[in-house]
């Protein structure tokens, strides 16, 4: 969202993403500092919307429009943790993680110094965040053979590049991810198996609108993680061969002699 007077006067009812400057605007919509920002500048923005849920549900002083205080349930199962985040306390019985409300997001942004944020943009802001989280979980589940997996905890690390992101951005001259998360899951075998998630700002080849691409993979914390990553790489590079190998590994139906 632009901070100009002209843009402020036409903010009501419009999409909060400035498609003429898609890259920087979507970073703002997601509440995350772009790679070009200094650490001091980025502290003006909530490090995550989970942080936003720590804030009160009461309207901010000078707020023009009412915002919803409803907190949506995610589809992400909650794992057992001794250190439940502040914003999730009291929600343990739901069985899934709970997203912050529109009012909490607005209060958090105002407190962080985002004076130009408009009330009208908050519903879309929150929708984008929640959608990205749901997609992240769906992609993570594709790595697991067990359906009964749960997210135990997570950590936002936007200023720490993963080794893969460092290679892509510094040696292959690709765009840096605008955010990085570490998610710890309980898959029934490992209580806190770590996954790394890199978030990239891209543009849809169909609509030309900004979109978020998510690179989810197991962190290389164990030999099994190296094996999983190698198998996925082989599958992506040689899909036909991988498909045939899987067929050979499947048990063959026994034939009855007559």
């Amino acid at each position: 969202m632009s901070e100009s007077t002209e843009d402020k006067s036409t903010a009501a009812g419009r999409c909060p993403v400035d498609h003429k400057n898609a890259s920087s605007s979507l970073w703002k919509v997601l509440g995350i500092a772009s790679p070009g920002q200094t650490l001091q500048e980025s502290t003006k923005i909530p490090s995550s919307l989970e942080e936003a849920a720590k804030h009160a549900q009461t309207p901010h002083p000078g707020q023009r429009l009412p915002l919803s205080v409803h907190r949506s349930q995610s589809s992400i199962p909650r794992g057992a943790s001794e250190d439940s985040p502040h914003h999730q306390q009291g929600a343990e019985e739901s069985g899934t993680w709970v997203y912050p409300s529109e009012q909490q997001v607005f209060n958090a942004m105002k407190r962080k110094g985002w004076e130009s944020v408009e009330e009208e943009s908050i519903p879309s802001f929150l929708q984008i965040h929640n959608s990205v989280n749901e997609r992240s979980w769906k992609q993570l589940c594709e790595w697991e053979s067990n359906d009964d997996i749960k997210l135990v905890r997570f950590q936002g690390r936007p200023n720490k590049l993963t080794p893969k992101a460092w290679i892509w951005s510094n040696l292959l001259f690709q765009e840096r991810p605008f955010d990085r998360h570490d998610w710890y899951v309980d898959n029934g075998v490992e209580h806190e198996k770590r996954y790394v998630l890199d978030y990239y700002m891209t543009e849809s080849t169909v609509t030309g609108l900004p979109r978020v691409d998510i690179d989810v993979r197991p962190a290389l914390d164990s030999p099994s993680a190296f094996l999983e990553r190698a198998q996925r790489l082989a599958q992506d590079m040689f899909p036909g061969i991988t498909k045939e190998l899987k067929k050979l590994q499947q048990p063959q139906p026994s034939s009855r002699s007559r």
Side-chain angles (χ1 to χ4, degrees):
M1 184 185 302
S2 171
E3 298 183 9
S4 68
T5 304
E6 179 181 353
D7 284 349
K8 285 182 179 180
S9 65
T10 59
R14 73 177 183 186
C15 175
V17 178
D18 177 4
H19 303 302
K20 295 181 180 179
N21 190 19
S23 180
S24 63
S25 63
L26 191 53
W27 280 319
K28 292 180 179 179
V29 168
L30 290 170
I32 303 166
S34 68
Q37 285 184 293
T38 65
L39 181 59
Q40 183 177 5
E41 289 172 332
S42 68
T43 57
K44 295 182 179 180
I45 302 172
S47 59
S48 70
L49 293 201
E50 284 72 28
E51 176 191 333
K54 299 177 183 178
H55 294 263
Q57 295 272 33
T58 54
H60 191 274
Q63 183 175 323
R64 296 182 296 104
L65 300 173
L67 291 169
S68 173
V69 297
H70 172 71
R71 298 183 61 184
S72 299
Q73 296 284 142
S74 76
S75 67
I76 306 173
R78 285 177 51 90
S81 175
E82 295 180 358
D83 185 20
S84 180
H86 179 277
H87 61 277
Q88 295 294 324
Q89 291 177 7
E92 291 87 349
E93 295 181 0
S94 67
T96 61
W97 290 82
V98 183
Y99 293 126
S101 70
E102 295 174 7
Q103 186 65 63
Q104 288 173 317
V105 171
F106 185 73
N107 289 349
M109 297 182 72
K110 285 295 186 180
R111 186 165 183 174
K112 286 288 185 177
W114 244 34
E115 298 302 329
S116 63
V117 67
E118 301 286 349
E119 291 90 331
E120 293 87 349
S121 69
I122 297 300
S124 296
F125 183 114
L126 192 56
Q127 184 179 24
I128 291 173
H129 168 270
N130 296 356
S131 174
V132 169
N133 267 1
E134 295 294 328
R135 288 172 51 208
S136 297
W137 181 249
K138 182 178 180 180
Q139 289 183 221
L140 186 153
C141 290
E142 293 174 359
W143 285 90
E144 294 287 338
S145 57
N146 180 11
D147 293 334
D148 186 22
I149 61 174
K150 300 176 181 179
L151 177 62
V152 176
R153 61 188 179 94
F154 55 86
Q155 182 181 15
R157 305 176 69 185
N159 296 321
K160 181 70 173 178
L161 284 178
T162 62
K164 180 179 179 180
W166 188 93
I167 292 172
W168 277 82
S169 60
N170 290 284
L171 302 183
L172 302 179
F173 306 104
Q174 302 294 319
E175 287 289 334
R176 292 163 60 102
F178 65 79
D179 196 17
R180 174 227 174 135
H181 282 186
D182 287 11
W183 287 18
Y184 298 80
V185 305
D186 183 350
N187 62 4
V189 179
E190 300 174 75
H191 176 60
E192 289 199 356
K193 180 180 179 180
R194 185 167 68 99
Y195 280 84
V196 289
L197 300 85
D198 285 324
Y199 297 90
Y200 292 89
M201 182 67 247
T202 62
E203 185 176 285
S204 171
T205 57
V206 178
T207 64
L209 300 179
R211 58 166 286 134
V212 177
D213 282 343
I214 312 166
D215 185 5
V216 183
R217 67 270 186 202
L220 298 177
D221 296 334
S222 66
S224 61
F226 278 90
L227 180 59
E228 286 181 274
R229 296 271 291 269
Q231 290 175 333
R232 177 62 65 90
L233 179 62
Q235 180 179 334
D236 292 341
M237 294 179 65
F238 309 106
I241 296 176
T242 304
K243 185 177 180 180
E244 292 302 318
L245 288 174
K246 286 184 176 180
K247 287 182 180 179
L248 293 175
Q249 293 174 352
Q250 293 176 351
Q252 300 297 321
S254 59
S255 57
R256 297 179 179 179
S257 59
R258 297 185 178 182

